Amino acid sequence: MKLVAVTACAAGVAHTYMAAESIQNAALKKGHQIKVETQGATGIENKISADEVKNADAVIMTNDIPIRERERFNNKRIFNVTSTDCIKSANKIIEAIEQNCK
């Protein structure tokens, strides 16, 4: 499965990047392709391209704060989670996506 994810937290520092690392590791461990964009204190990093959005089977988005440029993901299957959920339960998130994208 091809996944894209966007992580952001209120402070834009630790949880943004911890969530990104955790969800990426969980997806890769399950054999999925994933690209994670972070929207932290320094702005948008590792920005997801239009082609990557187009080819994605699902989008994982943290909902701690509004995601910038969210309209890029219109008409895609979006899974909204918190950055804390990504950090603590990334494997469960990936499993839920697998079940919902069959």
Side-chain angles (χ1 to χ4, degrees):
M1 193 167 17
K2 291 183 181 180
L3 305 170
V4 293
V6 182
T7 61
C9 69
V13 188
H15 282 87
T16 296
Y17 300 99
M18 291 167 53
E21 182 179 3
S22 185
I23 203 71
Q24 181 173 17
N25 289 341
L28 293 174
K29 184 178 176 183
K30 292 276 197 167
H32 303 298
Q33 295 178 21
I34 188 167
K35 179 170 182 178
V36 183
E37 172 180 306
T38 55
Q39 296 188 4
T42 59
I44 296 175
E45 297 175 274
N46 202 33
K47 189 170 183 173
I48 297 166
S49 72
D51 281 342
E52 290 166 327
V53 172
K54 179 182 174 185
N55 294 320
D57 297 306
V59 179
I60 303 164
M61 231 178 255
T62 58
N63 58 8
D64 302 34
I65 60 171
I67 296 296
R68 288 174 260 168
E69 301 179 22
R70 186 182 172 98
E71 67 279 355
R72 295 178 286 158
F73 305 100
N74 287 349
N75 302 315
K76 296 304 286 187
R77 180 174 273 177
I78 297 175
F79 293 84
N80 292 298
V81 296
T82 66
S83 57
T84 300
D85 288 340
C86 282
I87 295 165
K88 293 183 177 182
S89 304
N91 290 327
K92 289 181 182 180
I93 292 168
I94 298 300
E95 288 170 5
I97 293 168
E98 289 171 335
Q99 290 299 314
N100 284 291
C101 290
K102 285 186 174 180

